[in-house]
Amino acid sequence: MSILKTEQLVKRFGNFNALDGIDLTVNAGEIYGFIGPNGAGKSTTIRILLGILKATEGSASIFGLDVWKDAVAIHKRISYVPGDVNLWPNLTGGEVIDLFMKLRGNSNMTKRNQLLEQFSLDPSKKCRAYSKGNRQKVALVAAFASDADLFILDEPTSGLDPLMERVFQECVLAAKNEGKSVLLSSHILSEVERLCDRVGIIRQGKMIETGTLHDLRHLTRTHLFIETKQPIPSFEHVGGVHIVETNGNRLSIEVDTNQLDEVIKLVSSFGVIKLKSSPPTLEDLFMRHYEQSSPGGELS
Amino acid sequence: MSNQMFKKLGTLIHFIWRRDRIRLFIWIAAITATTLGTASSFSGLYVNENERQLLAETMINPAMIAMVGPSTGLDNYTFGAMLAHQMLLFTAITVAIMNILFITRHTRADEEEGNIEMIRSLPTGRLSNLTAVLTVALISNALIMVIIGAGLPLLQIDSIDWNGSILYGAVLGATGFFFAAITTLFAQLSDNAKGTIGFSFTLLIVSYLIRAIGDVSNDTLSAFSPLGIILDTHVFVLNDWWPLAILGMLTVLIALCAVYLHAIRDLGAGFFPTKPGRVHASRWLQSPSGLAIRLQRTGIIAWAIGMYVLGASYGSVLGDLDTFFVDNEVMQDFLAPIPGVSLTDQFISLLLTIMAMIGTIPVLLSLLKLKGEESKHRLESMLALPISRYQLLGSYFMIAMLLSIFMNLLAVLGLWSVGNTVLDNGLSLMTLIKSAIVYLPAIWVMVGVAIVLLGTTPKQTGFIWLYLTYSFIVVYMGDLFQFPTWMKKASPFGYVPQMPVEDMRVTPVLSLFVIAIIMMIAGFLFYRKRDLQG
């Protein structure tokens, strides 16, 4: 059952097409990873979902309600954490968390204090004294202390240290275990890989790939690390092989999945000493999509 | 040692000057031009000694002394005495404000932003930035001193001689540098820019109040205020340099203290303990309007005091109106006598117009705070909560509407409370209130325009200030400059009946009211429809 759905979402700023027909579906109880470089349209999509921007064309709904018209009703059941948390410099973190919780209306003080401890955040400091990471913790505590059904997280960990990153991942997984859904936009691909059930890759306002990580891996290459008795002169007549590194008898190659059989046959004739294969990482998937057409923007 | 502490001092002086040259230029130009301009306008305003002495008579009252300082020069009110009496204190305060803002910007604010960290990571001395800032402040204050000290005598006005002029400039420069030193000290004590500015301004205000009380009741008390000390020079009357020497020594002491504290402290740290803030939000801070009020608290209180003081200071001159206006042609052009209407009533109706327009400023500031919140990307988190746009705009709107009533009543109250004591016949508070509230619909039209701007072209909200300035010029100065009527009618304030001189006219007031409501509704609808900057 889908909890969030967009169909052919288009957003134009003047002549610039920020979004060019985005189809996105998040199912109940799943963690959906939304990845793409800066300027690809992730935040624009999320802002449309929040009813802050109005879609030029297409439709977007959360819990079956229209994101623009029924924003308030939707927001009672969602929690949002922006990547760049802007807070009021003269309020303390504790005050901001309470205010957000109060305004949402369904939050729990015990959980709040527990989260403050987990994230080791001092709520008595003024927001102006917080670092970027600490401001993000304020938003994360307010979000996870709520009883939301859907969490919309826009690069929520860009300022967190690895320890806090782990706390964050625990919170997300705990939410999932309670049957909640998460839309996680992220740059940190290892995080997405660890948490997400399904992934969508966006580029220049278009969804270019979407599916489970398992599905996506089939579309791409496998990494092989090979050591042979005799050096392999060439893979020319096999095709679908991309040499990453050669070092005498040691090879590191990427193989298109459908050519795997041919390659193994060829390699075995040179006397295999060592063979290690690893599935493509999300990063490989991602980089490949962006290498294909260079103007896709840079990774940051 | 000195290499450790002061390396690259010259480069940093140049750099700070480079960053602020335009800002400093505007401040210095405005301050010196106002002083020189006022001095040269005196001879046109007051032709002979008699007129000056008449004016002096009106100044001998506690309200006036509290406001501008002691009355030493009033026995022989020469142009010089007049300049020092009417202008010196307020110009000195302006110079002090310039220094407080300048020093804070380059010390604690830069430290908070992380800029000082960058500078310190380069091969610069530990004290280089601080000394560079103080040096630029010293140069700026010296510039004010030189321009005014040399500029005043060149105007060749009777009684404004070299000796007094140089002292006049020196008083301004010394006050400026004193507050530069004080701000530098507070920048070491407090660990944030807001605190630095807050402490410095508090000291400035307290200095002013101590001097005001001291000048009225007890001269010794004034000696405990830096502003009291500088007025003790009695420029153009006694020309006493001693107080400046004392202030100078005090300044050097404070500056050395600040530099020492800077040398021994950690970057980013302060000496005042930061007390931990609230762990929980108070019950006031639980709604969009609670937040909006909390964010503007200081501003609202400051404006409230300001509006009352504005009314009170206008009230203090009501008693001596006749001496003010009789035989003064410029003033008579400004306020042409109307047969059958007392000068006081006529003046009050003008004051009410001015106060209504000044009272519009805090109202618009409060409403446009929402735009500031949007451009600082703070609305995103709010709107992701179950808060509608109507609710959000509505809370700012309600506060603005309440302020429009509150601020104008405070000004009227100030006018009445002082005016009532200086006028022989007293003043009727009810008449004043009635005459003031007819301006509300005009203020609300301004609010309506601002909401429409917020809802349609948020980048152009600055237009409302242009419109208010325009209104001020055509309505306030209209008679002086003889503008055509349609120019006056292009401002909502041009339609308000000028009570108590004119009678109440329902039609224009009601029309303004209706226009205001239509614009507000339209603005709300537009605001609901547009994209918000995240």
Side-chain angles (χ1 to χ4, degrees):
Chain A
M1 191 195 79
S2 77
I3 206 163
L4 182 158
K5 195 172 181 62
T6 75
E7 274 168 3
Q8 288 301 307
L9 208 55
V10 173
K11 178 67 188 176
R12 278 184 215 108
F13 295 111
N15 289 327
F16 174 66
N17 269 11
L19 298 183
D20 198 4
I22 296 281
D23 291 313
L24 174 78
T25 311
V26 178
N27 296 319
E30 81 173 355
I31 304 177
Y32 187 95
F34 193 27
I35 58 182
N38 288 338
K42 295 191 302 288
S43 293
T44 305
T45 309
I46 287 178
R47 283 181 184 153
I48 290 176
L49 291 173
L50 292 172
I52 291 170
L53 300 181
K54 192 174 185 181
T56 316
E57 285 164 30
S59 72
S61 63
I62 297 179
F63 310 127
L65 300 168
D66 184 274
V67 292
W68 178 260
K69 285 192 211 112
D70 305 313
V72 175
I74 292 172
H75 294 180
K76 281 184 184 146
R77 294 172 58 196
I78 67 166
S79 258
Y80 168 61
V81 177
D84 215 349
V85 182
N86 296 289
L87 302 172
W88 301 273
N90 48 344
L91 300 188
T92 65
E95 285 179 304
V96 172
I97 293 171
D98 282 6
L99 174 71
F100 283 180
M101 286 173 44
K102 187 75 195 172
L103 293 175
R104 187 179 290 111
N106 52 358
S107 316
N108 152 350
M109 272 295 157
T110 335
K111 208 163 172 191
R112 165 200 193 261
N113 296 334
Q114 198 185 321
L115 283 162
L116 280 176
E117 203 152 301
Q118 269 178 289
F119 279 106
S120 56
L121 176 71
D122 176 1
S124 68
K125 272 192 177 174
K126 300 263 184 196
C127 291
R128 80 162 78 82
Y130 284 138
S131 62
K132 175 177 164 61
N134 279 331
R135 288 203 305 274
Q136 233 154 11
K137 287 183 194 172
V138 170
L140 285 169
V141 170
F144 286 117
S146 75
D147 186 31
D149 295 319
L150 171 67
F151 292 87
I152 297 182
L153 312 171
D154 190 0
E155 292 171 27
T157 57
S158 43
L160 296 187
D161 61 48
L163 235 63
M164 290 305 136
E165 164 93 36
R166 175 158 298 177
V167 175
F168 164 77
Q169 291 181 7
E170 283 163 13
C171 288
V172 172
L173 289 173
K176 188 192 169 184
N177 288 338
E178 290 170 33
K180 298 174 171 178
S181 323
V182 180
L183 174 63
L184 171 65
S185 129
S186 182
H187 273 150
I188 304 171
L189 299 171
S190 63
E191 174 181 283
V192 174
E193 206 161 13
R194 197 167 313 149
L195 294 174
C196 297
D197 302 302
R198 291 197 308 131
V199 175
I201 302 179
I202 183 174
R203 191 186 65 197
Q204 289 178 308
K206 285 200 177 91
M207 248 350 195
I208 47 172
E209 207 71 78
T210 170
T212 63
L213 273 176
H214 185 75
D215 291 342
L216 292 185
R217 280 184 182 136
H218 272 288
L219 295 172
T220 104
R221 309 162 181 166
T222 302
H223 260 296
L224 287 182
F225 303 94
I226 308 163
E227 197 177 334
T228 47
K229 283 179 186 150
Q230 294 129 32
I232 302 165
S234 118
F235 286 96
E236 257 167 32
H237 50 280
V238 185
V241 174
H242 312 264
I243 296 179
V244 179
E245 211 185 330
T246 40
N247 182 9
N249 293 352
R250 289 179 199 163
L251 269 180
S252 171
I253 56 175
E254 284 177 358
V255 182
D256 284 357
T257 311
N258 52 5
Q259 292 291 323
L260 207 53
D261 187 43
E262 292 289 314
V263 172
I264 298 293
K265 275 179 190 158
L266 175 76
V267 169
S268 60
S269 62
F270 291 89
V272 177
I273 298 173
K274 230 182 217 172
L275 176 70
K276 206 168 85 188
S277 101
S278 62
T281 61
L282 189 55
E283 191 167 336
D284 297 326
L285 289 179
F286 191 77
M287 294 309 281
R288 225 185 125 194
H289 276 297
Y290 283 96
E291 279 159 5
Q292 276 167 1
S293 55
S294 40
E298 279 174 16
L299 261 182
S300 66
Chain B
M1 179 64 190
S2 81
N3 217 14
Q4 270 296 312
M5 291 298 183
F6 298 108
K7 197 147 177 42
K8 296 281 176 194
L9 176 63
T11 319
L12 284 174
I13 292 176
H14 189 78
F15 177 61
I16 289 166
W17 180 254
R18 175 78 182 68
R19 275 173 68 195
D20 256 23
R21 57 191 172 167
I22 292 173
R23 201 182 257 120
L24 283 174
F25 173 79
I26 292 172
W27 271 103
I28 295 172
I31 289 166
T32 51
T34 313
T35 303
L36 298 177
T38 311
S40 60
S41 75
F42 278 162
S43 41
L45 278 169
Y46 312 99
V47 186
N48 56 43
E49 202 187 320
N50 241 355
E51 276 183 31
R52 294 202 297 267
Q53 220 47 55
L54 266 175
L55 182 72
E57 295 299 316
T58 72
M59 301 281 184
I60 307 177
N61 64 60
M64 222 47 205
I65 292 170
M67 207 157 84
V68 298
S71 52
T72 340
L74 292 176
D75 307 335
N76 181 15
Y77 212 40
T78 59
F79 285 127
M82 203 174 201
L83 183 68
H85 182 236
Q86 295 181 11
M87 291 293 292
L88 183 58
L89 181 58
F90 284 106
T91 316
I93 289 173
T94 315
V95 179
I97 293 172
M98 170 186 111
N99 278 278
I100 291 173
L101 297 178
F102 171 78
I103 295 282
T104 309
R105 191 164 47 245
H106 289 284
T107 55
R108 192 45 87 168
D110 254 8
E111 198 169 326
E112 220 173 12
E113 298 281 325
N115 298 339
I116 303 283
E117 194 176 324
M118 287 303 295
I119 302 272
R120 284 277 290 275
S121 72
L122 297 165
T124 59
R126 187 167 304 151
L127 295 176
S128 298
N129 185 69
L130 193 73
T131 24
V133 175
L134 282 170
T135 311
V136 175
L138 190 65
I139 295 171
S140 308
N141 289 308
L143 269 176
I144 293 179
M145 173 179 159
V146 170
I147 296 173
I148 288 183
L152 280 177
L154 292 179
L155 294 173
Q156 305 208 316
I157 300 168
D158 239 8
S159 79
I160 295 187
D161 54 2
W162 278 95
N163 192 5
S165 301
I166 293 171
L167 180 59
Y168 193 101
V171 165
L172 295 180
T175 316
F177 199 60
F178 174 80
F179 278 94
I182 277 285
T183 311
T184 315
L185 182 64
F186 282 129
Q188 314 310 314
L189 298 177
S190 167
D191 71 352
N192 61 73
K194 214 182 151 198
T196 306
I197 288 195
F199 287 122
S200 308
F201 270 101
T202 308
L203 190 97
L204 180 62
I205 293 166
V206 170
S207 305
Y208 182 81
L209 291 178
I210 291 180
R211 183 216 50 79
I213 299 166
D215 284 351
V216 173
S217 58
N218 182 350
D219 279 347
T220 329
L221 190 60
S222 298
F224 287 95
S225 153
L227 294 177
I229 294 176
I230 57 155
L231 289 188
D232 233 15
T233 51
H234 300 291
V235 188
F236 295 118
V237 183
L238 304 175
N239 283 339
D240 192 352
W241 281 79
W242 266 110
L244 273 199
I246 296 168
L247 192 74
M249 282 190 283
L250 218 56
T251 307
V252 171
L253 221 64
I254 293 169
L256 284 177
C257 192
V259 171
Y260 174 72
L261 289 178
H262 186 80
I264 61 167
R265 77 174 170 90
D266 288 343
L267 188 72
F271 285 94
F272 286 157
T274 31
K275 55 173 195 297
R278 287 167 179 275
V279 173
H280 284 284
S282 74
R283 61 198 176 90
W284 302 107
L285 185 63
Q286 312 235 328
S287 61
S289 43
L291 175 66
I293 290 179
R294 170 68 189 272
L295 296 176
Q296 306 176 53
R297 197 171 52 186
T298 323
I300 290 176
I301 294 171
W303 269 100
I305 297 171
M307 289 306 291
Y308 181 85
V309 171
L310 178 75
S313 50
Y314 278 135
S316 70
V317 300
L318 285 180
D320 307 296
L321 271 189
D322 290 325
T323 20
F324 231 25
F325 279 87
V326 169
D327 302 328
N328 191 325
E329 278 180 26
V330 177
M331 284 300 187
Q332 282 182 0
D333 276 347
F334 202 64
L335 208 66
I338 303 170
V341 176
S342 83
L343 197 57
T344 312
D345 275 359
Q346 210 187 336
F347 192 56
I348 285 175
S349 74
L350 179 68
L351 290 182
L352 289 174
T353 318
I354 300 169
M355 293 192 314
M357 285 191 278
I358 295 178
T360 310
I361 299 172
V363 176
L364 294 174
L365 278 177
S366 165
L367 184 71
L368 294 180
K369 174 88 182 157
L370 183 60
K371 197 242 160 182
E373 288 285 291
E374 183 179 350
S375 33
K376 285 181 186 128
H377 301 280
R378 292 186 196 135
L379 288 191
E380 203 178 26
S381 320
M382 291 295 283
L383 285 169
L385 298 163
I387 295 167
S388 72
R389 299 219 187 157
Y390 288 150
Q391 227 179 318
L392 190 69
L393 178 56
S395 21
Y396 282 85
F397 168 71
M398 279 317 295
I399 294 168
M401 293 301 276
L402 289 176
L403 285 182
S404 69
I405 299 168
F406 178 64
M407 290 294 175
N408 282 282
L409 281 184
L410 268 179
V412 167
L413 205 65
L415 180 68
W416 174 78
S417 59
V418 177
N420 198 33
T421 57
V422 299
L423 279 177
D424 299 335
N425 304 329
L427 264 174
S428 155
L429 182 60
M430 268 330 282
T431 317
L432 280 183
I433 291 179
K434 272 188 215 155
S435 316
I437 55 173
V438 291
Y439 284 96
L440 285 179
I443 298 175
W444 294 338
V445 170
M446 299 303 280
V447 171
V449 175
I451 294 184
V452 168
L453 288 171
L454 259 179
T456 50
T457 48
K459 287 201 179 88
Q460 260 71 56
T461 45
F463 169 78
I464 195 72
W465 300 116
L466 213 65
Y467 192 33
L468 186 63
T469 315
Y470 169 83
S471 301
F472 195 82
I473 293 171
V474 294
V475 176
Y476 180 42
M477 317 263 227
D479 292 338
L480 192 62
F481 293 137
Q482 310 267 310
F483 289 128
T485 330
W486 65 264
M487 279 186 71
K488 206 169 166 179
K489 295 292 177 198
S491 158
F493 293 96
Y495 291 89
V496 180
Q498 303 224 312
M499 290 162 70
V501 175
E502 293 176 15
D503 288 330
M504 171 69 184
R505 275 171 290 132
V506 178
T507 327
V509 175
L510 204 65
S511 315
L512 286 174
F513 187 68
V514 172
I515 291 170
I517 288 182
I518 292 172
M519 296 191 89
M520 287 166 186
I521 293 172
F524 267 84
L525 292 174
F526 287 135
Y527 192 73
R528 172 73 179 90
K529 290 253 182 305
R530 81 169 163 91
D531 282 351
L532 287 178
Q533 233 181 309

